[in-house]
Amino acid sequence: MSVTRTPVGSIRPSQLLWTYGPGALVDLPNLSVVTSGIDRWERDRCQPIQEARLLAAVRKVLGPQVDSLRMPPFTKDDSIDPFSAEANIGVPVRPFPRFLRCVKCGLLSPYDAGLFSLKEDRFRPEQTHFVHRSCTGSKGADRPKDADAVPARFLLACRNGHLDDFPWHYFVHAGKSDCTGTLRFFETGASLQTENLKVKCDGCGASKSLAHAFGQVGKKNLPSCRGRHPHLDKFDSECTEEARAVLLGSTNSWFPITLSALAIPAKNVSPIGQIIADHWDSFSDVDNISELKGIVKTLQKYGSVPGIENFALEKVWTAIENHRNGDGGDSVEQADIKGPEWEALSAANPPTDYPYFMSKTVATPAGFEKEITRVLLLERLREVNALMGFTRVEAPEEGSDKDDRPPMAPLSFAQPDWVPANEVHGEGIFIQFNEASLKSWESLPAVQALDKRLFGGHRGWRKSRHLNVAEGYPGIRYSMLHTLAHLLIRELALECGYNAASIRERVYGDTSDGQAQAGILIYTAAADSDGTLGGLVDLGNPENLGRLLKQALNRAKICSSDPLCSEHDPEKDRTLHAAACHACSFVAETSCERGNRYLDRSLLVPTLEQVNAAFFKA
């Protein structure tokens, strides 16, 4: 089968994890395409990323055959010859939906039916588009002339991750029909509401408004799901989920399922051993010390392995042999993501791995000595994200239980042996809380009452979705830490130089299995830079952090939506937050690890409704 390589646009590599990954629709200015499965990507152009803990977690979900995490392919220079081989580096896509609409005559037909042709523009790929050849207008009386064709903006999707073309012929004829007439799409009225959008058959004259494709009426007018995966050229044998109409570009057509981990130095590993582990792909094929000399020289020249220049060649070779023989430190035997991070961050002397993990301890802010035991400034950190799959129609839940989310659609036709990933670098502030103060606070009757109320909302929310109500509740400690993280993100964004959407959180509040986690990490990471602005770490110094904590807690006492916000009862409307809303506590979805759930500012400070459950008394 011949493959046509026609560049149609460009996106950032990180978007292939969060927005336009395999199976997602990319709505370009003149085209709509679907990103192909990773088995059609050029694996050799996807650079591997070393992160053993994350790889172990991915294997736990996708299977032991996954051997690596890899970055999507990309070109480092935009100014390249558009006709060179390098111009074809990228991710394969195909036009989807198949149906196009002529903007002049309204013709509705698949792009491969012979009525449309592709006009390629190598110098401006985003201008590549389809045209309706020799269009004569809606009445057929105009002089033949090529007219632009745009994607039909209606599709079918189901909860099992399937996506299909809208059944135009079936829809307009109210079922299967032998009519072979040409279909046309018309817009009537001043607005583009669905009742003003109609499809008509030239053969039999049948017509129908697109309003009949949505809601309860749509269930009667649409066929059952065919189980199609357009990114894999595959149809599942059967699908019992209801197919529903969705619009091209709608956010519910693709939700990524990802895992992320901070690059934490391994235990019992020397600095050179950590460097070898982080860049094992560069050293795995070295056979002797003579060959190593040339490789190290090349790596130093291009700065590919920072810190390698500080070690003698003999020590580098010894570290390579130790790693190859399995003596490079503790092996990763469990897919625990946050556990090792907590151990490293809460250690008396946190490990160092230049340039990926560098930290320093600073004094606790004045006035918060009872609540906070430690503040750690992470001057450098590295976060690795991996894409495991995706869902459609419904967003995946944050829990690790597969029953908590819609079925995960696959990234490849067969079981994947690698998954797309990216690494981002940044800085952060880690705050560890006093365990004794937390236990004393958790024993307060008012806190226990709020815990019961939050769990009631959790129970109702999961029950309405037919999920196990006993699973997934993070506890009142987590909710308090989570709310404080949100308040700090909102306060830090005003002063640190980063926008609020680029600041993220990691909450360590697990008390199961005898653990006593009690901390939050507020950090920022940039996919396009190895450095950071430094503004976040600077605000972690005692004089700045103390001021910001006081400001954040003071703002949280009164919300502009009070008394409605402070009186909100999650048990009544089966929600996952109490005294929290967009005006006081919510942050961008990219910043929150729980989707703005399990929040209650009355756990931190006195509010109009609750004054006895505050962790911070001042």
Side-chain angles (χ1 to χ4, degrees), residues 61-103:
V61 178
L62 298 182
Q65 79 285 345
V66 180
D67 59 24
S68 60
L69 312 172
R70 293 178 176 268
M71 295 179 62
F74 65 93
T75 55
K76 296 183 179 180
D77 188 5
D78 292 334
S79 58
I80 58 177
D81 182 357
F83 296 96
S84 65
E86 190 178 0
N88 289 324
I89 296 176
V91 171
V93 297
R94 59 180 300 178
F96 196 84
R98 290 175 58 244
F99 278 82
L100 301 176
R101 176 178 66 89
C102 175
V103 299

Side-chain angles (χ1 to χ4, degrees), residues 466-537:
H466 308 291
L467 301 174
N468 186 353
V469 298
E471 299 290 336
Y473 183 61
I476 198 68
R477 174 182 297 201
Y478 181 95
S479 299
M480 185 275 287
L481 297 173
H482 190 203
T483 309
L484 180 60
H486 278 222
L487 298 181
L488 268 179
I489 287 174
R490 292 166 66 99
E491 203 67 35
L492 287 165
L494 299 175
E495 300 193 32
C496 71
Y498 295 100
N499 63 69
S502 66
I503 304 176
R504 306 175 192 173
E505 66 177 2
R506 291 180 88 82
V507 181
Y508 303 93
D510 188 6
T511 57
S512 61
D513 300 327
Q515 298 186 79
Q517 296 181 5
I520 58 174
L521 172 63
I522 308 297
Y523 69 100
T524 183
D528 58 351
S529 173
D530 289 338
T532 65
L533 296 177
L536 197 64
V537 163

Side-chain angles (χ1 to χ4, degrees), residues 290-359:
S290 300
E291 184 181 347
L292 176 64
K293 184 177 181 180
I295 291 177
V296 170
K297 187 176 181 179
T298 302
L299 294 174
Q300 289 179 357
K301 180 179 180 180
Y302 293 101
S304 303
V305 181
I308 193 71
E309 68 277 0
N310 299 327
F311 300 92
L313 199 63
E314 291 75 15
K315 288 189 175 182
V316 177
W317 175 246
T318 301
I320 291 174
E321 288 189 312
N322 289 339
H323 187 90
R324 188 172 284 154
N325 296 330
D327 299 327
D330 297 342
S331 60
V332 178
E333 297 180 351
Q334 58 177 347
D336 183 11
I337 295 294
K338 284 189 175 181
E341 293 176 7
W342 167 256
E343 292 179 7
L345 293 170
S346 60
N349 295 304
T352 298
D353 177 21
Y354 177 85
Y356 300 133
F357 190 88
M358 298 180 65
S359 62

Side-chain angles (χ1 to χ4, degrees), residues 89-150:
I89 296 176
V91 171
V93 297
R94 59 180 300 178
F96 196 84
R98 290 175 58 244
F99 278 82
L100 301 176
R101 176 178 66 89
C102 175
V103 299
K104 187 175 180 181
C105 68
L107 173 69
L108 192 65
S109 178
Y111 72 87
D112 52 1
L115 300 174
F116 302 99
S117 61
L118 184 67
K119 281 201 170 183
E120 180 182 354
D121 191 334
R122 282 271 176 174
F123 295 97
R124 299 184 65 186
E126 70 279 0
Q127 296 299 323
T128 299
H129 64 288
F130 282 98
V131 295
H132 178 202
R133 299 196 307 268
S134 303
C135 176
T136 57
S138 58
K139 297 182 179 180
D142 298 344
R143 182 170 59 88
K145 184 180 179 181
D146 288 352
D148 291 342
V150 296

Side-chain angles (χ1 to χ4, degrees), residues 168-344:
W168 297 104
H169 190 273
Y170 182 100
F171 177 72
V172 73
H173 293 103
K176 295 181 180 180
S177 172
D178 295 330
C179 179
T180 58
T182 301
L183 301 182
R184 297 191 185 274
F185 188 93
F186 294 103
E187 299 171 357
T188 60
S191 68
L192 293 180
Q193 295 178 342
T194 51
E195 57 264 25
N196 295 329
L197 305 177
K198 295 184 179 180
V199 59
K200 181 180 179 181
C201 176
D202 286 346
C204 63
S207 66
K208 187 171 290 187
S209 166
L210 267 300
H212 295 91
F214 296 88
Q216 293 297 323
V217 179
K219 296 180 181 180
K220 303 177 182 178
N221 294 318
L222 297 176
S224 58
C225 179
R226 299 195 299 169
R228 185 179 186 183
H229 292 293
H231 64 300
L232 305 177
D233 268 342
K234 169 188 173 184
F235 288 85
D236 288 343
S237 57
E238 62 178 11
C239 178
T240 57
E241 287 290 336
E242 172 192 311
R244 62 188 74 185
V246 296
L247 292 175
L248 179 63
S250 60
T251 56
N252 67 343
S253 64
W254 194 84
F255 296 104
I257 298 177
T258 60
L259 278 179
S260 67
L262 297 182
I264 300 296
K267 299 178 184 177
N268 308 322
V269 177
S270 64
I272 181 58
Q274 187 65 52
I275 291 176
I276 296 302
D278 291 340
H279 302 276
W280 179 240
D281 199 62
S282 300
F283 299 101
S284 59
D285 297 330
V286 180
D287 295 325
N288 52 63
I289 195 169
S290 300
E291 184 181 347
L292 176 64
K293 184 177 181 180
I295 291 177
V296 170
K297 187 176 181 179
T298 302
L299 294 174
Q300 289 179 357
K301 180 179 180 180
Y302 293 101
S304 303
V305 181
I308 193 71
E309 68 277 0
N310 299 327
F311 300 92
L313 199 63
E314 291 75 15
K315 288 189 175 182
V316 177
W317 175 246
T318 301
I320 291 174
E321 288 189 312
N322 289 339
H323 187 90
R324 188 172 284 154
N325 296 330
D327 299 327
D330 297 342
S331 60
V332 178
E333 297 180 351
Q334 58 177 347
D336 183 11
I337 295 294
K338 284 189 175 181
E341 293 176 7
W342 167 256
E343 292 179 7

